[in-house]
Protein backbone atom coordinates (compact mmCIF):
# COMPACT_ATOMS: atom_id res chain seq x y z
CA UNK A 1 0.00 0.00 0.00
CA UNK A 2 1.38 3.42 -0.93
CA UNK A 3 1.79 6.42 1.33
CA UNK A 4 -1.23 8.72 1.75
CA UNK A 5 -1.33 11.78 -0.53
CA UNK A 6 -3.21 15.09 -0.53
CA UNK A 7 -5.91 13.45 -2.64
CA UNK A 8 -6.55 11.00 0.22
CA UNK A 9 -7.33 13.72 2.78
CA UNK A 10 -10.86 14.37 3.98
CA UNK A 11 -12.02 17.78 5.20
CA UNK A 12 -14.53 18.69 7.88
CA UNK A 13 -16.45 21.99 7.83
CA UNK A 14 -16.51 24.36 10.77
CA UNK A 15 -20.25 23.77 11.07
CA UNK A 16 -19.89 20.00 11.32
CA UNK A 17 -17.04 20.26 13.82
CA UNK A 18 -18.87 22.80 15.99
CA UNK A 19 -21.97 20.62 15.96
CA UNK A 20 -19.90 17.63 17.14
CA UNK A 21 -18.41 19.73 19.94
CA UNK A 22 -21.68 21.29 21.10
CA UNK A 23 -23.69 18.06 20.98
CA UNK A 24 -21.10 16.10 22.94
CA UNK A 25 -21.97 14.85 26.41
CA UNK A 26 -18.69 16.36 27.57
CA UNK A 27 -19.35 19.85 26.13
CA UNK A 28 -17.69 22.32 26.45
CA UNK A 29 -14.77 19.87 26.67
CA UNK A 30 -13.79 17.81 23.65
CA UNK A 31 -15.48 14.43 23.31
CA UNK A 32 -13.18 11.64 24.53
CA UNK A 33 -12.96 10.12 21.05
CA UNK A 34 -11.86 13.37 19.33
CA UNK A 35 -8.59 15.31 19.15
CA UNK A 36 -7.99 18.64 17.43
CA UNK A 37 -4.39 19.46 16.57
CA UNK A 38 -3.53 23.10 15.87
CA UNK A 39 -0.28 23.30 13.88
CA UNK A 40 0.01 27.08 13.61
CA UNK A 41 3.41 28.45 14.55
CA UNK A 42 3.83 32.05 15.77
CA UNK A 43 0.40 32.82 14.29
CA UNK A 44 -1.15 30.79 17.12
CA UNK A 45 -1.87 34.01 19.03
CA UNK A 46 -5.38 35.41 19.11
CA UNK A 47 -7.31 32.32 20.08
CA UNK A 48 -7.75 28.61 19.50
CA UNK A 49 -10.46 25.97 19.33
CA UNK A 50 -11.44 24.93 22.86
CA UNK A 51 -9.60 21.79 23.91
CA UNK A 52 -7.25 21.72 20.93
CA UNK A 53 -3.63 20.63 21.25
CA UNK A 54 -0.99 23.00 19.94
CA UNK A 55 1.84 21.30 18.06
CA UNK A 56 3.65 23.92 15.95
CA UNK A 57 4.33 22.65 12.43
CA UNK A 58 8.00 23.50 12.94
CA UNK A 59 8.12 20.81 15.67
CA UNK A 60 5.92 18.21 14.01
CA UNK A 61 8.68 16.13 12.40
CA UNK A 62 10.18 15.12 15.72
CA UNK A 63 6.90 15.12 17.68
CA UNK A 64 4.98 12.96 15.19
CA UNK A 65 5.85 9.57 16.80
CA UNK A 66 4.76 10.83 20.22
CA UNK A 67 1.60 12.35 18.75
CA UNK A 68 0.65 9.07 17.05
CA UNK A 69 1.10 7.18 20.32
CA UNK A 70 -0.78 9.80 22.35
CA UNK A 71 -3.74 9.90 19.98
CA UNK A 72 -3.92 6.20 19.13
CA UNK A 73 -7.22 5.69 20.99
CA UNK A 74 -8.98 8.66 19.37
CA UNK A 75 -11.55 7.81 16.71
CA UNK A 76 -11.18 11.20 14.99
CA UNK A 77 -8.16 13.51 14.76
CA UNK A 78 -8.63 16.93 13.13
CA UNK A 79 -5.66 19.00 11.98
CA UNK A 80 -5.71 22.69 11.15
CA UNK A 81 -3.55 25.76 10.69
CA UNK A 82 -4.72 29.29 9.98
CA UNK A 83 -6.07 28.57 6.47
CA UNK A 84 -5.64 24.77 6.26
CA UNK A 85 -4.11 25.12 2.81
CA UNK A 86 -0.53 24.04 3.54
CA UNK A 87 0.51 23.33 7.13
CA UNK A 88 -2.76 21.67 8.21
CA UNK A 89 -2.94 19.21 5.28
CA UNK A 90 0.81 18.63 5.43
CA UNK A 91 0.60 17.85 9.14
CA UNK A 92 -2.27 15.41 8.56
CA UNK A 93 -0.17 13.64 5.92
CA UNK A 94 2.89 13.50 8.17
CA UNK A 95 0.75 12.07 10.95
CA UNK A 96 -0.81 9.44 8.66
CA UNK A 97 2.59 8.44 7.28
CA UNK A 98 4.13 8.18 10.75
CA UNK A 99 1.12 6.19 11.95
CA UNK A 100 1.55 3.78 9.04
CA UNK A 101 5.30 3.50 9.73
CA UNK A 102 4.77 2.75 13.43
CA UNK A 103 2.01 0.23 12.71
CA UNK A 104 4.42 -1.51 10.32
CA UNK A 105 7.07 -1.69 13.03
CA UNK A 106 4.57 -3.06 15.55
CA UNK A 107 3.42 -5.65 13.02
CA UNK A 108 7.01 -6.84 12.46
CA UNK A 109 7.65 -6.95 16.21
CA UNK A 110 4.45 -8.94 16.76
CA UNK A 111 5.43 -11.41 14.04
CA UNK A 112 8.86 -11.87 15.60
CA UNK A 113 7.29 -12.54 18.99
CA UNK A 114 4.74 -14.88 17.45
CA UNK A 115 1.69 -12.88 18.44
CA UNK A 116 0.64 -11.10 15.25
CA UNK A 117 -1.67 -8.28 16.34
CA UNK A 118 -4.93 -7.74 14.55
CA UNK A 119 -7.02 -4.64 14.40
CA UNK A 120 -9.95 -6.91 15.19
CA UNK A 121 -13.03 -4.94 16.14
CA UNK A 122 -11.18 -1.64 16.47
CA UNK A 123 -12.44 1.20 14.27
CA UNK A 124 -10.01 2.74 11.82
CA UNK A 125 -9.02 6.24 12.99
CA UNK A 126 -10.35 9.10 10.84
CA UNK A 127 -7.84 11.86 10.18
CA UNK A 128 -9.46 15.07 8.94
CA UNK A 129 -8.46 18.62 8.06
CA UNK A 130 -10.56 21.61 9.14
CA UNK A 131 -11.71 23.32 5.94
CA UNK A 132 -10.73 26.99 5.97
CA UNK A 133 -8.62 26.55 9.11
CA UNK A 134 -8.80 28.75 12.16
CA UNK A 135 -9.39 31.84 10.03
CA UNK A 136 -12.81 30.60 8.89
CA UNK A 137 -13.51 29.06 12.30
CA UNK A 138 -12.98 32.32 14.16
CA UNK A 139 -15.10 34.31 11.67
CA UNK A 140 -18.15 32.41 12.88
CA UNK A 141 -17.19 31.04 16.29
CA UNK A 142 -14.48 33.37 17.62
CA UNK A 143 -16.72 35.12 20.15
CA UNK A 144 -18.41 31.84 21.22
CA UNK A 145 -16.63 30.88 24.45
CA UNK A 146 -18.14 27.39 24.30
CA UNK A 147 -16.09 26.76 21.15
CA UNK A 148 -13.14 29.15 21.17
CA UNK A 149 -10.68 30.07 23.91
CA UNK A 150 -8.57 33.22 24.25
CA UNK A 151 -10.06 34.79 21.11
CA UNK A 152 -8.94 38.38 20.53
CA UNK A 153 -11.19 40.29 18.16
CA UNK A 154 -8.63 43.01 17.47
CA UNK A 155 -6.20 40.47 16.03
CA UNK A 156 -8.77 38.95 13.66
CA UNK A 157 -11.18 41.78 12.80
CA UNK A 158 -9.44 42.70 9.55
CA UNK A 159 -8.87 39.11 8.45
CA UNK A 160 -5.72 37.08 8.21
Amino acid sequence: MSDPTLADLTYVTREDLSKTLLESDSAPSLPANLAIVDVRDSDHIGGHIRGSTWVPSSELDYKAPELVRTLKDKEVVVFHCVLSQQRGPSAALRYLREKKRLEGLEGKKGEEEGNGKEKGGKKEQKVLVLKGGFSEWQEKYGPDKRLTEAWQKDIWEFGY
Side-chain angles (χ1 to χ4, degrees), residues 2-67:
S2 62
D3 279 342
T5 66
L6 284 173
D8 298 319
L9 293 178
T10 304
Y11 288 76
V12 61
T13 64
R14 63 186 178 185
E15 290 80 13
D16 287 342
L17 183 58
S18 69
K19 183 178 178 185
T20 298
L21 298 177
L22 292 173
E23 291 179 356
S24 163
D25 292 337
S26 57
S29 300
L30 287 181
N33 67 342
L34 172 71
I36 300 172
V37 182
D38 184 338
V39 297
R40 292 179 289 162
D41 294 298
S42 61
D43 53 345
H44 184 256
I45 61 168
H48 56 272
I49 298 172
R50 179 174 290 284
S52 63
T53 301
W54 182 36
V55 181
S57 66
S58 60
E59 299 176 8
L60 194 60
D61 280 339
Y62 70 89
K63 287 192 174 182
E66 174 190 348
L67 195 59

Side-chain angles (χ1 to χ4, degrees), residues 129-146:
V129 178
L130 177 61
K131 187 177 182 208
F134 188 75
S135 181
E136 277 192 22
W137 175 270
Q138 68 80 31
E139 283 175 2
K140 188 167 186 177
Y141 303 115
D144 190 335
K145 292 181 192 249
R146 299 171 302 162

Side-chain angles (χ1 to χ4, degrees), residues 25-145:
D25 292 337
S26 57
S29 300
L30 287 181
N33 67 342
L34 172 71
I36 300 172
V37 182
D38 184 338
V39 297
R40 292 179 289 162
D41 294 298
S42 61
D43 53 345
H44 184 256
I45 61 168
H48 56 272
I49 298 172
R50 179 174 290 284
S52 63
T53 301
W54 182 36
V55 181
S57 66
S58 60
E59 299 176 8
L60 194 60
D61 280 339
Y62 70 89
K63 287 192 174 182
E66 174 190 348
L67 195 59
V68 169
R69 285 189 288 275
T70 303
L71 302 179
K72 71 179 183 212
D73 294 328
K74 302 294 182 182
E75 290 177 26
V76 179
V77 180
V78 178
F79 285 87
H80 78 86
C81 59
V82 74
L83 300 172
S84 288
Q85 291 178 350
Q86 292 182 9
R87 291 174 294 175
S90 175
L93 284 177
R94 280 192 250 169
Y95 177 85
L96 283 168
R97 290 173 181 161
E98 183 63 19
K99 185 173 183 281
K100 181 180 173 185
R101 186 186 74 80
L102 291 174
E103 286 171 353
L105 291 176
E106 286 177 10
K108 286 180 185 174
K109 183 180 176 186
E111 289 170 15
E112 290 169 7
E113 295 172 358
N115 64 352
K117 286 186 173 181
E118 294 180 17
K119 289 185 182 179
K122 190 172 180 184
K123 280 186 170 180
E124 186 69 24
Q125 186 179 68
K126 284 185 190 177
V127 177
L128 307 171
V129 178
L130 177 61
K131 187 177 182 208
F134 188 75
S135 181
E136 277 192 22
W137 175 270
Q138 68 80 31
E139 283 175 2
K140 188 167 186 177
Y141 303 115
D144 190 335
K145 292 181 192 249

